[in-house]
Amino acid sequence: MECMLCPRKCGADRETSLGFCGMKRGVRIARAALHQWEEPCISGSDSARGSGTVFFSGCVMRCIFCQNHDISAGGFGKDISTRRLSEIFLELQDKGAWNINLVSPTPFVPEIIGALDMVKGRLNIPVVYNCGGFERVETLRALEGYVDIYLPDIKYYSDELAQELSSAPHYFDTAMRAAEEMLRQTGKPRFDQNGMLLGGVMIRHLVIPGHYHDSQEVIRRVGERFGQDVLFSLMSQYTPFWKAKEIKSLNRRITTFEYRKALDAVYEAGLEGFMQERSSAKEEYTPDFDLSGT
């Protein structure tokens, strides 16, 4: 069966070979645990709780600065059944997770739907689809009624930059169409009495060294298209990982000037949401992919 889940439409028969994502058919994950390092309305402030995060292996993008490159490009993880995935969802709920946070889930959408069907009526917390924004609208439509919160990146405006840093052609247009579909499904952000997000779309954007002008354009266009119908999370946590360490212009953190320019653009666009402190750019915020919870 040809795989057409992501915009690459690579057509791989993942029963017998690998897709562009590096994965065969089935489910592979690298970690399933409570995670405290998402936005406050996703992770909460109680250190005993957190977002019930499932890190899937493989990825439909190839970001040369990826902090999770061991699992995204390297494919590290453990193969599990759809049944086991459904059990993990309930185990995370029992541990006090505010939500089920599916990280880089695109290659496994059919299995995720199957696992969620297995726990229907027993899983009583929101499901978060946490992705790089490079999504097919047709795949997202299959998730309607299963996902409560969409957490996509919109990384780049420049197609040249998207291809250079993430091997993702036509990225901006693809990501904006995906965000439109996500908003259609969820509507405007909704919160519970604790300030935790129950439904809606939060668009993330990471400021990259030397490219704050591209950030400004992303922010301006997101503001024009979505306004306050979505939340916006401006991230300063860029840290030179993987291949970025070998590129002089990318082998540094962002400057205060670069972040301030992006932050000013957020205010000018009238977007609301979350802005990271520059101190968030630390390697210790990357979790250990030790197969916990698998």
Side-chain angles (χ1 to χ4, degrees), residues 55 65-75 103-104 241 286-287 289:
F55 287 91
F65 50 85
C66 181
Q67 65 182 14
N68 299 344
H69 60 89
D70 287 342
I71 67 171
S72 62
V103 181
S104 298
F241 282 99
T286 303
F289 298 116

Side-chain angles (χ1 to χ4, degrees), residues 216-236:
Q216 291 174 315
E217 194 64 22
V218 168
I219 292 163
R220 182 178 72 82
R221 289 174 180 266
V222 168
E224 287 177 350
R225 172 62 188 86
F226 299 111
Q228 295 181 8
D229 289 345
V230 302
L231 297 172
F232 192 83
S233 178
L234 185 67
M235 300 188 296
S236 63

Side-chain angles (χ1 to χ4, degrees), residues 68-292:
N68 299 344
H69 60 89
D70 287 342
I71 67 171
S72 62
F76 174 77
K78 179 181 177 181
D79 294 325
I80 63 171
S81 66
T82 300
R83 173 67 63 183
R84 175 61 191 140
L85 183 61
S86 72
E87 293 169 352
I88 287 170
F89 294 162
L90 295 178
E91 289 167 7
L92 290 169
Q93 178 175 256
D94 289 345
K95 290 177 180 178
W98 290 106
N99 44 61
I100 299 298
N101 188 346
L102 310 170
V103 181
S104 298
T106 312
F108 309 104
V109 163
E111 291 82 5
I112 288 168
I113 290 173
L116 290 171
D117 280 336
M118 291 177 184
V119 296
K120 192 172 293 184
R122 292 183 288 163
L123 188 69
N124 302 309
I125 53 178
V127 173
V128 182
Y129 192 89
N130 185 340
C131 67
F134 199 52
E135 302 288 325
R136 278 194 81 197
V137 168
E138 292 83 353
T139 300
L140 294 173
R141 285 177 183 154
L143 290 161
E144 187 165 7
Y146 290 94
V147 171
D148 303 286
I149 299 165
Y150 281 101
L151 196 56
D153 294 332
I154 295 187
K155 296 178 181 289
Y156 316 103
Y157 173 70
S158 163
D159 193 56
E160 180 181 353
L161 190 62
Q163 294 197 62
E164 176 188 351
L165 300 187
S166 296
S167 299
H170 313 297
Y171 174 83
F172 181 76
D173 289 342
T174 300
M176 289 291 278
R177 286 195 300 270
E180 289 172 357
E181 172 61 21
M182 294 170 181
L183 180 60
R184 184 194 68 78
Q185 290 183 24
T186 67
K188 295 181 180 181
R190 296 176 290 107
F191 300 86
D192 69 9
Q193 67 274 17
N194 298 305
M196 301 302 294
L197 191 59
L198 292 175
V201 177
M202 185 189 303
I203 293 173
R204 286 172 162 172
H205 177 75
L206 176 69
V207 184
I208 297 172
H211 297 291
Y212 73 85
H213 288 295
D214 195 72
S215 292
Q216 291 174 315
E217 194 64 22
V218 168
I219 292 163
R220 182 178 72 82
R221 289 174 180 266
V222 168
E224 287 177 350
R225 172 62 188 86
F226 299 111
Q228 295 181 8
D229 289 345
V230 302
L231 297 172
F232 192 83
S233 178
L234 185 67
M235 300 188 296
S236 63
Q237 68 188 43
Y238 176 89
T239 305
F241 282 99
W242 199 31
K243 296 178 181 180
K245 291 182 177 180
E246 303 167 6
I247 301 172
K248 184 177 179 181
S249 62
L250 296 176
N251 190 24
R252 66 174 176 86
R253 309 278 171 84
I254 63 170
T255 64
T256 300
F257 174 81
E258 289 170 322
Y259 190 60
R260 174 55 60 182
K261 285 292 187 181
L263 193 59
D264 288 346
V266 173
Y267 294 135
E268 290 171 8
L271 292 165
E272 293 187 351
F274 303 91
M275 316 299 145
Q276 280 185 337
E277 299 292 335
R278 285 187 61 249
S279 60
S280 298
K282 297 179 180 179
E283 294 192 13
E284 54 262 37
Y285 289 132
T286 303
D288 292 327
F289 298 116
D290 53 6
L291 305 181
S292 295

Side-chain angles (χ1 to χ4, degrees), residues 10-30:
C10 73
D13 180 356
R14 289 172 54 203
E15 294 290 346
T16 57
S17 60
L18 302 179
F20 178 92
C21 59
M23 294 290 107
K24 286 190 174 182
R25 189 74 63 197
V27 179
R28 180 176 293 183
I29 66 173

